[in-house]
Amino acid sequence: VSVECGITTPYPMHTALQKAIIAAAKTKILVCDHSKFDKAAMEHICDLKDIDILVTDGGILDETHKKYSKYLTLIKA
């Protein structure tokens, strides 16, 4: 998850399926732990604006939470 690169994956064989799932979804909810923020992988899946809600764990830093809350609804679970 990256402001600059959006949502990415290191697994090229999953990219087409993940893009299709996002395109078909009415509401897009991404779940990832705090260690995935400010990192980018080789395959682009979508931009942050394409995700409605991002759910993460309580390990996210306040600074990171504020940064990403500008682009989508971010929930600490």
Side-chain angles (χ1 to χ4, degrees):
V1 179
S2 163
V3 170
E4 296 81 14
C5 299
I7 310 304
T8 59
T9 182
Y11 306 106
M13 64 285 232
H14 297 159
T15 305
L17 175 61
Q18 291 170 334
K19 285 182 177 187
I21 291 169
I22 290 169
K26 198 181 270 189
T27 302
K28 288 101 176 158
I29 302 171
L30 176 65
V31 178
C32 68
D33 68 74
H34 72 280
S35 71
K36 303 294 189 251
F37 287 86
D38 293 330
K39 297 192 172 121
M42 148 172 104
E43 292 286 320
H44 180 260
I45 297 171
C46 68
D47 294 325
L48 288 181
K49 66 178 179 58
D50 299 321
I51 301 296
D52 299 306
I53 301 168
L54 195 155
V55 180
T56 192
D57 64 287
I60 189 170
L61 299 173
D62 289 338
E63 176 183 311
T64 305
H65 188 277
K66 287 178 190 175
K67 177 180 175 180
Y68 283 87
S69 291
K70 295 175 187 174
Y71 300 94
L72 44 72
T73 300
L74 183 56
I75 299 171
K76 278 195 260 186

